[in-house]
Amino acid sequence: MRIVTRTALALTAVVALAACDRSQTPAAPTEPAAPATAPAADSGPSVGDSGLALEAEGLRLFDDTGAARAIPFGTPQATAIASLAASIGGAVPEVTTNAECGAGPVQSAKFSNGLQLLFQNDQFQGWFVDQAGMTTVDGMGVGSTRGSIEGSRTIEMQEDSTLGAEFDSGGVGGFLTDATPQGTVTGLYAGLTCFFR
C-alpha cells in the first residue's frame, strides 16, 4: 500500500508541476517588414519616352540597362535608320528626297513619333522633331517652356530669324511659340536642315 501511495504521490507531483509550467517557447524572430515602396533606382539621364536622347552631334540610344550608344552625324544612312527603327518600333519609314534644299538634295525619313532624320550622300546629317516625347539628356523637348529650359541651359534667341521665335541652345536649335519665359517649344533640330528662310 505504501508503494502505491508513494507512486500516486509522485505522479500527482509531476502532473502538478507540469500544469504550473506555463512558460511558452519564444517565437522565431521575424524579418522586418519591407518598406511599402522601394526607393526608386537611379534611372540615369532623362530621355523622354523612347530611350532616345537628342544631341547637337546626333542622337543617343539608351537600352533597358542604361547603356548608351551614340548615332553621330556621319553614320551611314542604312545603319541610322535600322538602329532607330529597332529602338522606336513600328514600320521602317519611307525615305523621300527634297531636291530644293539650299544645301542640295536631301533625303529624309520620318518616324511615327515625329522624329525626322535627314541624309546627304548616304550619311545621317541632321534631325528634326515636332512631337513631344523625345528630349535632350537634361530634359529639353517639344512642350518645354523657355523658363524651364533656362533652369539648366542657356538659350540664345536668333533675332534675325524669318521663321518666328527661333533659338539655339548648345548646338540644338528650336522654335518657341513666343520669346517669353512661358513660350513653349514647338520643334527642335540639329545638324543639316531644310528650312526655307
Side-chain angles (χ1 to χ4, degrees):
M1 180 112 175
R2 284 183 178 178
I3 293 175
V4 173
T5 303
R6 283 184 185 171
T7 304
L9 284 172
L11 284 174
T12 302
V14 168
V15 170
L17 284 173
C20 289
D21 184 11
R22 295 183 183 258
S23 63
Q24 297 179 351
T25 306
T30 57
E31 293 292 322
T37 307
D42 179 11
S43 57
S46 169
V47 292
D49 301 334
S50 63
L52 172 66
L54 306 171
E55 297 186 334
E57 302 82 20
L59 301 166
R60 188 168 301 272
L61 295 174
F62 290 84
D63 66 19
D64 293 339
T65 68
R69 181 167 61 97
I71 303 177
F73 295 141
T75 298
Q77 177 175 317
T79 301
I81 290 175
S83 297
L84 269 293
S87 173
I88 294 169
V92 175
E94 178 184 356
V95 177
T96 60
T97 299
N98 185 339
E100 298 180 4
C101 290
V106 172
Q107 291 73 45
S108 65
K110 187 168 184 177
F111 290 83
S112 59
N113 64 353
L115 177 65
Q116 183 176 22
L117 303 185
L118 301 172
F119 307 98
Q120 206 167 44
N121 301 319
D122 293 321
Q123 292 185 336
F124 172 42
Q125 295 294 349
W127 58 260
F128 173 75
V129 64
D130 60 1
Q131 292 180 27
M134 289 163 287
T135 68
T136 58
V137 292
D138 57 353
M140 179 175 70
V142 172
S144 300
T145 63
R146 178 179 179 177
S148 67
I149 295 167
E150 289 182 318
S152 60
R153 55 169 58 219
T154 301
I155 283 184
E156 295 178 14
M157 296 304 297
Q158 306 299 311
E159 302 300 335
D160 59 346
S161 175
T162 61
L163 300 175
E166 187 174 1
F167 69 91
D168 179 83
S169 182
V172 175
F175 302 99
L176 295 162
T177 53
D178 59 69
T180 67
Q182 294 75 37
T184 302
V185 175
T186 59
L188 292 172
Y189 64 87
L192 177 68
T193 64
C194 191
F195 302 134
F196 293 97
R197 297 183 182 279

